[in-house]
Amino acid sequence: MAEKSYSKDIILVLAASFFYMASPMLVTPLITGFTESIGASAALMGLVGGMMNLVSLFCRPLAGNLADRISKYKLSFAGAVFMTAACVGYIFAPNEAVVVIARIINGFGFACCSVCMATWMSNMLPKDKIGSGMGFYGTMNALAMAVAPAIGVSAYQALGYRASFVIALVFSVAIIAVIQFIGDKGEPVKADAPAETDIPAETDIPTETDAPAGTDIPAAADARERAGKRRIELIDVKVIPIALIIMLFAVPYCATQSFLVTYVETRGLDVAVSMFFPSYAVVLIVLRLSLRNLFDKLPFRVFLLAACISELLAIALLAVMHSNVTMLISSALLAGGYGIMSSVCQSTAILLAGKEKRGLANSTYYIGLDLGMTLGPVIGGALYGGLDIRLFYPTLAVTMPLAGLVYLTAGKGLRKSAAARS
């Protein structure tokens, strides 16, 4: 009976994670055009387009701390209410000022739901299944990112902007409905409980979890008691290298997301650019499902090396692209790079943190992801405006060696620190 309830709760969290991602992803490709249609300038259109991720970036540390202090149900409910209110704002917005306010509200709700859902899901999983479980979680997010924009654009073409925002509203309300049936409300883990070792033996990112020589048990207990009253933390320091790595993987992907159409038009390429991201989503889902058992067995460095090579090849093919075949192969390789690393980095961040700090670990991971999603279009715009278009992708390729350098530098520093304490 317990197993049945456990499986039901995981399925419901996965469903809620689909809806929380689908709602803003439906709005994203439409919101700039809608803002222009009610009188916004080009500069304000760009601000509105990036506002949700910018707000989310600054809200994630707060959301991460809350996810470790209150029940995941309460925080998810609050986030879903904010997202619902934002969709109502889009539907009835009389001017661009209301749209800006709605985007700010949407960013706060998205930050709450994204951090909380991931933490809620990870806490339901056995520690030896976190990699595969979070792979499924990422698959639901990828599915939402593939399906929701297509639904939104089709609804807009048939019925207009405001009608399409009604569908986003339905998705947000669905989050509230689904989480009512989850039995495990995700109550916070007590920090003064015996520490749980979450990092499996094969994880190759070293950590400093050993107590110094001479530490007695009462002192350790006192330390745990003090930890229970810990101050609010903005980030989990151990997760910073992981956040930087996912940021570097996200920059080429998000630059491509924003500039691929312009890149193709500028170069005069005869390719069906509309097929790039649906192809990416399909390949990503297949990869995550087929590799799900390996996420818990192979060390981080194996995925990092394979993903770096895959993303570098994708960038190289985009640089020399002249046909649909080349474009589709590059989309598949990009799924093997950024798409796979988004799951691997998130599960690794969770394993690096204690169970009572998974919310903070998730928020730190998402800070890196938000930075990549913000910097990608910004860097893409600078490259597009300042360099020959043929240098667009070769310049973006520098992110992959940098990701490897972050790992090597962080690993070396951690090993030195551990050696100094021994």
Side-chain angles (χ1 to χ4, degrees), residues 248 308 312 315 395-408:
L248 290 166
C308 279
L312 271 175
I315 292 170
T395 306
L396 287 173
V398 74
T399 54
M400 293 301 96
L402 286 176
L405 183 62
V406 167
Y407 173 75
L408 292 174

Side-chain angles (χ1 to χ4, degrees), residues 283 307 309-311 313-314 317 328-338:
V283 173
I309 293 171
S310 185
E311 190 147 333
L313 290 173
L317 288 177
L328 293 176
I329 294 173
S330 68
S331 72
L333 289 168
L334 196 57
Y338 166 74

Side-chain angles (χ1 to χ4, degrees), residues 206-211 238 413-419 421:
T207 57
E208 302 181 37
T209 56
D210 297 330
K238 295 188 297 294
L414 289 169
R415 283 192 293 273
K416 281 185 176 178
S417 179
R421 291 181 56 186

